Amino acid sequence: MKSVFFTGATGGLGEVCVRALAARGWQVFAAGTNADKLAALAKIPGVIPLHCDVMDDASVQAARAEVLRHTDRLDAVVNFAGLTAFASLVEGDPVPAARRMVEVNLMGMVRINAALFGLVHAARGRIVNCSSSAGWMTAQPFAGAYVASKRAVEGYSDSLRRELIFLGIPVVKLQPGPFRTGMMDDIHRGFEQTLADSPLYGHRLRRLRGILLAALGRPRAPQELVGKLLRALEDARPRRQYRAGSPRLLLALEVLPEGMIDALFRLAARWAGRG
């Protein structure tokens, strides 16, 4: 039985992935912070729940010690834990939220991979890092901290992949767009909070609500991402990246020069400012 350490297991989409992996015959070390959801995952055959806060070194090391009680090797690590938000980079106090975003989305990944690499190396396994469509598509306003963290994940993953080429360990990027999960609810709540609290942008955002939310695209069913995750884990020669659910409107923008995209935002800003 192949084994995988999976962070973010108690998130909505993470839980779906954990259940799919267990059904596929993987032994899943399901790492998360929600005690009730960990208890529910414990009832699934093949799932070993672990409380693990990826922002805390001691918590990560404790999770590693628990894995070693069961095995001395891992066929894969999946870094799925992540946060998102809709917020300004200049209004209020953006620093704590941006710091937390980087701490979870990037540094949590760095901690987990460093702590568990010896087990992956022993199995000649692989590492799957969850990035986002925001990591490679043109940046959108009011998503700066999230975009910065995911672009950092892209650079980190590319550099790690080229480092581990020398050891024969694949590093794969998973790049999902929006899916029907609680994370999408967080984005919508952040949008509404910004509308309510922002003296700089609130009136403009009200007029642009439809455009900004349409840019996210219609959230997809999680099964599409599960399929790409399984390929990232099970393909004999995995690709460097697997994309799923990329927003179509943002894909259309990808063919335009950055200057033209800026011009479109200026037009939208002038139109919104007339309201």
Side-chain angles (χ1 to χ4, degrees):
M1 177 185 290
K2 288 190 173 184
S3 59
V4 56
F5 188 96
F6 190 104
T7 71
T10 56
L13 194 52
E15 182 181 350
V16 171
C17 292
V18 166
R19 291 179 180 275
L21 288 170
R24 189 84 167 182
W26 285 78
Q27 180 183 52
V28 185
F29 293 95
T33 56
N34 186 305
D36 291 339
K37 291 188 176 181
L38 287 173
L41 290 172
K43 298 175 183 178
I44 303 171
V47 174
I48 300 170
L50 301 172
H51 184 276
C52 180
D53 181 351
V54 299
M55 295 192 297
D56 184 89
D57 291 330
S59 181
V60 170
Q61 290 300 324
R64 178 182 182 275
E66 183 62 25
V67 170
L68 286 171
R69 291 184 61 246
H70 299 270
T71 182
D72 63 352
R73 59 194 59 222
L74 287 167
D75 295 285
V77 168
V78 176
N79 289 287
F80 207 79
L83 298 175
T84 189
F86 184 99
S88 169
L89 286 173
V90 293
E91 276 196 306
D93 186 4
V95 173
R99 182 183 291 119
R100 178 173 168 78
M101 194 84 64
V102 172
E103 223 6 79
V104 173
N105 292 355
L106 174 66
M107 293 308 300
M109 190 175 289
V110 174
R111 284 188 190 91
I112 291 294
N113 287 337
L116 299 178
F117 179 71
L119 283 73
V120 175
H121 191 206
R124 293 296 188 267
R126 66 186 63 179
I127 293 170
V128 178
N129 291 335
C130 189
S131 178
S132 166
S133 57
W136 63 273
M137 301 180 93
T138 191
Q140 300 301 302
F142 306 101
Y146 181 68
V147 169
S149 70
K150 289 302 185 179
R151 290 200 174 177
V153 165
E154 290 282 318
Y156 163 74
S157 299
D158 289 341
S159 185
L160 182 64
R161 183 183 70 251
R162 288 171 181 158
E163 178 178 337
L164 298 191
I165 280 173
F166 292 96
L167 301 177
I169 306 296
V171 176
V172 183
K173 293 182 293 189
L174 193 63
Q175 298 170 320
F179 286 85
R180 291 197 293 269
T181 67
M183 186 173 282
M184 290 301 298
D185 295 335
D186 292 341
I187 294 174
H188 285 274
R189 278 193 295 269
F191 184 86
E192 297 302 327
Q193 194 67 47
T194 303
L195 280 179
D197 297 345
S198 172
L200 290 176
Y201 302 112
H203 66 291
R204 290 179 171 87
L205 290 179
R206 287 185 185 90
R207 297 203 74 189
L208 293 174
R209 179 198 297 262
I211 295 173
L212 291 172
L213 294 180
L216 294 174
R218 180 176 298 175
R220 308 288 185 90
Q223 286 69 28
E224 180 180 344
L225 181 58
V226 168
K228 293 299 177 69
L229 172 63
L230 290 173
R231 289 193 60 190
L233 287 172
E234 297 179 353
D235 281 358
R237 296 170 62 92
R239 298 178 182 177
R240 292 185 296 273
Q241 62 205 24
Y242 292 85
R243 294 173 179 170
S246 302
R248 292 180 181 177
L249 180 57
L250 298 187
L251 278 175
L253 290 180
E254 287 300 301
V255 304
L256 301 177
E258 287 291 308
M260 188 174 293
I261 297 171
D262 287 350
L264 291 173
F265 276 109
R266 289 191 190 97
L267 285 172
R270 282 199 293 268
W271 175 79
R274 295 193 187 106

